[in-house]
Amino acid sequence: MESSTMDRVDGNCESIVESTTGQDVHAAYDGSNVLFRLLRMISWGPGLMNLGYFRFRGPFAFLNLLINLENTQRRLVGKSIELLDVKGAQKILDVACGRGKSSFMMHCLNPEATIVGLDLLQRNIDVARLLFGCSPRLSYENGNAMHLEFESGSFDRVQCLEAAFHFPDRSRFLQEAFRVLKPGGRMVVVDFAWRQPEDRKCLEDPETRLVRDIWQWDDLYDVEEYKREARNAGFKEVETVDWSDRVTAPFQATFESLLAVRKRPWLRRRVLGVNPLLNSLSEDDWKQLEEIAKAHDYVRRRSQYMAFVFTKG
């Protein structure tokens, strides 16, 4: 979800989008959907666009309503960077960096490293350069994850954080990532995956269609398919971590907690008092949000939120 924009892009970037994806990526996260308007109101984004790695979960997930959700998003970036295991003055490619904050965080945590943030949408790159492009060791470039315009063996590390589900050809991306990595290089891909191959059968169900339309994706790999495609690209598997109980499960529970609070008049008054922006949501908006929450739970039960760590030889 790092590969996102609030505006339409122009120039040659539009032709790139049209030729490489069946989804309207620049319409994702743009505020035209009530879910993203809600998320903006409760401090999710706009600097980071991932779901977040939550501190509170299970029966305590409602406590997430009391915190700045961008903190959970920064925590997720930090967890991914830990898996990346950057060493000293290495060169790192942050694929689908969005508005650049994940690359900036990587730069702050590893000041000796050289970081290149790459995103399909030129508008994202423009924003990233404006906000974070002040260091000679941190740069941002417009580019396509499936056609990386870098020489083979250019990077020690590659990260793709919660964005590959947008890619129409993830196998092509894995091949390109393998090519641009140096021997011994490491890649971390954080992405959604079907739990089992049979879970893909829900792809055309109305609930899944709704989620696909909101987040702009065509299909997912299942977990074993992800590993197999990485092996086919030449990678060796180092680690596979299921972060569902820290990401998608508490995200869903927090979403449902907000909807439940809204149905209790005294709690609703308290919440609206703390965050008056929520007053802008109409009754129809809340009904749509209930429908969206049910659809997300339907897909969540059939999918996992995974962190894959691969190495090149």
Side-chain angles (χ1 to χ4, degrees), residues 275-288:
N275 188 349
L277 300 180
L278 295 171
N279 279 302
S280 65
L281 294 171
S282 67
E283 287 301 313
D284 186 58
D285 288 334
W286 286 109
K287 289 178 182 178
Q288 288 184 52

Side-chain angles (χ1 to χ4, degrees), residues 29-287:
Y29 324 112
D30 66 356
S32 62
N33 184 281
V34 65
L35 174 61
F36 294 109
R37 284 193 282 123
L38 171 66
L39 291 172
R40 292 290 198 285
M41 293 173 194
I42 56 177
S43 73
W44 184 88
L48 293 170
M49 304 300 291
N50 62 63
L51 291 186
Y53 189 97
F54 289 80
R55 189 179 301 279
F56 301 110
R57 50 187 176 151
F60 300 103
F62 72 94
L63 293 173
N64 292 314
L65 294 174
L66 305 177
I67 64 174
N68 186 321
L69 292 184
E70 191 174 1
N71 292 336
T72 70
Q73 296 179 300
R74 288 199 297 267
R75 192 175 299 116
L76 180 61
V77 175
K79 291 291 183 181
S80 180
I81 293 173
E82 285 178 16
L83 291 178
L84 205 57
D85 191 29
V86 179
K87 305 289 187 184
Q90 291 181 327
K91 189 172 181 181
I92 306 158
L93 178 63
D94 187 12
V95 177
C97 67
R99 300 185 185 100
K101 192 164 186 177
S102 59
S103 305
F104 175 70
M105 290 177 62
M106 197 180 300
H107 167 65
C108 292
L109 294 170
N110 303 278
E112 295 180 5
T114 298
I115 317 294
V116 178
L118 182 86
D119 200 83
L120 179 66
L121 305 182
Q122 184 61 48
R123 185 62 58 85
N124 281 346
I125 296 302
D126 293 342
V127 172
R129 287 172 177 167
L130 176 66
L131 296 178
F132 307 116
C134 58
S135 167
R137 294 188 181 275
L138 173 62
S139 62
Y140 296 96
E141 297 185 21
N142 174 239
N144 187 331
M146 291 167 293
H147 302 279
L148 297 173
E149 295 184 1
F150 302 102
E151 292 184 5
S152 298
S154 299
F155 295 94
D156 299 282
R157 299 286 188 268
V158 173
Q159 172 182 267
C160 184
L161 174 57
E162 200 180 295
F165 68 97
H166 286 308
F167 302 165
D169 190 347
R170 280 178 292 280
S171 64
R172 175 68 179 173
F173 160 64
L174 292 170
Q175 292 163 17
E176 281 289 275
F178 183 84
R179 180 183 63 79
V180 302
L181 271 174
K182 296 176 181 178
R186 172 181 287 228
M187 178 171 71
V188 172
V189 180
V190 179
D191 201 8
F192 304 89
W194 299 119
R195 291 180 180 273
Q196 301 293 335
E198 55 268 24
D199 289 314
R200 184 178 271 112
K201 294 177 181 177
C202 78
L203 195 61
E204 297 300 331
D205 292 350
E207 296 88 348
T208 310
R209 287 294 316 181
L210 177 58
V211 175
R212 288 171 60 193
D213 288 344
I214 290 172
W215 295 100
Q216 293 294 300
W217 53 275
D218 289 319
D219 196 0
L220 307 175
Y221 282 163
D222 63 64
V223 175
E224 292 305 316
E225 189 177 7
Y226 233 119
K227 296 179 188 179
R228 184 176 67 249
E229 291 298 326
R231 287 194 300 269
N232 290 342
F235 283 108
K236 293 181 180 179
E237 179 187 349
V238 175
E239 187 177 3
T240 301
V241 188
D242 184 354
W243 283 345
S244 302
D245 68 336
R246 285 291 190 179
V247 180
T248 47
F251 181 91
Q252 179 70 29
T254 303
F255 190 6
E256 292 176 355
S257 295
L258 180 60
L259 294 173
V261 163
R262 179 238 169 202
K263 293 181 179 179
R264 293 168 172 79
W266 69 276
L267 278 175
R268 180 177 181 175
R269 287 194 296 272
R270 294 289 294 273
V271 170
L272 292 178
V274 172
N275 188 349
L277 300 180
L278 295 171
N279 279 302
S280 65
L281 294 171
S282 67
E283 287 301 313
D284 186 58
D285 288 334
W286 286 109
K287 289 178 182 178

